[in-house]
mmCIF file of all heavy atoms in Angstrom:
data_model
loop_
_atom_site.group_PDB
_atom_site.id
_atom_site.type_symbol
_atom_site.label_atom_id
_atom_site.label_comp_id
_atom_site.label_asym_id
_atom_site.label_seq_id
_atom_site.Cartn_x
_atom_site.Cartn_y
_atom_site.Cartn_z
ATOM 1 N N LEU A 87 -9.518 14.679 6.829
ATOM 2 C CA LEU A 87 -9.748 14.475 8.259
ATOM 3 C C LEU A 87 -10.474 15.694 8.790
ATOM 4 O O LEU A 87 -9.964 16.813 8.690
ATOM 5 C CB LEU A 87 -8.413 14.300 8.988
ATOM 6 C CG LEU A 87 -7.692 12.965 8.868
ATOM 7 C CD1 LEU A 87 -8.637 11.794 9.063
ATOM 8 C CD2 LEU A 87 -6.936 12.844 7.597
ATOM 9 N N THR A 88 -11.662 15.491 9.293
ATOM 10 C CA THR A 88 -12.478 16.598 9.797
ATOM 11 C C THR A 88 -13.508 16.062 10.793
ATOM 12 O O THR A 88 -14.005 14.936 10.620
ATOM 13 C CB THR A 88 -13.206 17.337 8.635
ATOM 14 O OG1 THR A 88 -14.389 17.970 9.134
ATOM 15 C CG2 THR A 88 -13.616 16.387 7.513
ATOM 16 N N PRO A 89 -13.842 16.872 11.825
ATOM 17 C CA PRO A 89 -14.863 16.405 12.774
ATOM 18 C C PRO A 89 -16.225 16.222 12.111
ATOM 19 O O PRO A 89 -17.125 15.622 12.692
ATOM 20 C CB PRO A 89 -14.894 17.504 13.842
ATOM 21 C CG PRO A 89 -14.082 18.623 13.335
ATOM 22 C CD PRO A 89 -13.251 18.148 12.193
ATOM 23 N N ILE A 131 -13.435 11.811 7.081
ATOM 24 C CA ILE A 131 -13.386 10.908 8.228
ATOM 25 C C ILE A 131 -13.145 11.703 9.504
ATOM 26 O O ILE A 131 -12.305 12.605 9.542
ATOM 27 C CB ILE A 131 -12.288 9.834 8.030
ATOM 28 C CG1 ILE A 131 -12.778 8.786 7.035
ATOM 29 C CG2 ILE A 131 -11.903 9.179 9.348
ATOM 30 C CD1 ILE A 131 -11.822 7.649 6.815
ATOM 31 N N SER A 132 -13.897 11.348 10.538
ATOM 32 C CA SER A 132 -13.697 11.907 11.878
ATOM 33 C C SER A 132 -13.278 10.768 12.791
ATOM 34 O O SER A 132 -13.767 9.650 12.638
ATOM 35 C CB SER A 132 -15.022 12.499 12.374
ATOM 36 O OG SER A 132 -14.978 12.665 13.782
ATOM 37 N N ILE A 133 -12.395 11.030 13.732
ATOM 38 C CA ILE A 133 -12.034 9.946 14.658
ATOM 39 C C ILE A 133 -12.864 10.000 15.936
ATOM 40 O O ILE A 133 -12.681 9.185 16.824
ATOM 41 C CB ILE A 133 -10.522 9.890 14.974
ATOM 42 C CG1 ILE A 133 -10.046 11.160 15.663
ATOM 43 C CG2 ILE A 133 -9.713 9.600 13.721
ATOM 44 C CD1 ILE A 133 -8.730 10.966 16.415
ATOM 45 N N GLY A 134 -13.781 10.923 16.039
ATOM 46 C CA GLY A 134 -14.645 10.976 17.216
ATOM 47 C C GLY A 134 -15.297 12.341 17.354
ATOM 48 O O GLY A 134 -14.882 13.291 16.696
ATOM 49 N N TYR A 136 -15.266 15.108 18.926
ATOM 50 C CA TYR A 136 -14.539 16.139 19.655
ATOM 51 C C TYR A 136 -13.687 16.851 18.626
ATOM 52 O O TYR A 136 -13.439 16.305 17.551
ATOM 53 C CB TYR A 136 -13.658 15.536 20.762
ATOM 54 C CG TYR A 136 -12.993 14.255 20.341
ATOM 55 C CD1 TYR A 136 -11.832 14.284 19.556
ATOM 56 C CD2 TYR A 136 -13.531 13.020 20.679
ATOM 57 C CE1 TYR A 136 -11.231 13.114 19.137
ATOM 58 C CE2 TYR A 136 -12.941 11.847 20.251
ATOM 59 C CZ TYR A 136 -11.798 11.891 19.486
ATOM 60 O OH TYR A 136 -11.217 10.733 19.060
ATOM 61 N N VAL A 137 -13.275 18.060 18.958
ATOM 62 C CA VAL A 137 -12.539 18.841 17.958
ATOM 63 C C VAL A 137 -11.061 18.922 18.345
ATOM 64 O O VAL A 137 -10.713 19.395 19.424
ATOM 65 C CB VAL A 137 -13.153 20.255 17.811
ATOM 66 C CG1 VAL A 137 -12.371 21.069 16.787
ATOM 67 C CG2 VAL A 137 -14.619 20.148 17.396
ATOM 68 N N LEU A 138 -10.225 18.438 17.466
ATOM 69 C CA LEU A 138 -8.776 18.503 17.649
ATOM 70 C C LEU A 138 -8.260 19.811 17.049
ATOM 71 O O LEU A 138 -8.958 20.463 16.284
ATOM 72 C CB LEU A 138 -8.112 17.326 16.935
ATOM 73 C CG LEU A 138 -8.556 15.931 17.378
ATOM 74 C CD1 LEU A 138 -8.090 14.883 16.373
ATOM 75 C CD2 LEU A 138 -8.013 15.626 18.756
ATOM 76 N N GLY A 140 -6.152 20.008 14.827
ATOM 77 C CA GLY A 140 -5.876 19.787 13.405
ATOM 78 C C GLY A 140 -6.072 18.326 13.078
ATOM 79 O O GLY A 140 -6.281 17.501 13.967
ATOM 80 N N GLY A 141 -5.979 18.005 11.804
ATOM 81 C CA GLY A 141 -6.248 16.632 11.378
ATOM 82 C C GLY A 141 -5.072 15.685 11.486
ATOM 83 O O GLY A 141 -5.198 14.496 11.183
ATOM 84 N N ALA A 144 -5.526 12.799 13.915
ATOM 85 C CA ALA A 144 -6.583 11.939 13.373
ATOM 86 C C ALA A 144 -6.022 11.070 12.243
ATOM 87 O O ALA A 144 -6.313 9.868 12.166
ATOM 88 C CB ALA A 144 -7.738 12.797 12.884
HETATM 89 N N1 ADE B 1 -9.815 17.497 12.907
HETATM 90 C C1 ADE B 1 -10.218 18.127 14.025
HETATM 91 N N2 ADE B 1 -10.951 17.305 14.794
HETATM 92 C C2 ADE B 1 -11.017 16.113 14.158
HETATM 93 C C3 ADE B 1 -11.632 14.873 14.440
HETATM 94 N N3 ADE B 1 -12.354 14.682 15.545
HETATM 95 N N4 ADE B 1 -11.481 13.880 13.548
HETATM 96 C C4 ADE B 1 -10.794 14.073 12.417
HETATM 97 N N5 ADE B 1 -10.183 15.215 12.091
HETATM 98 C C5 ADE B 1 -10.288 16.245 12.947
#
Side-chain angles (χ1 to χ4, degrees):
L87 284 314
T88 155
I131 284 183
S132 162
I133 62 160
Y136 39 80
V137 179
L138 301 166

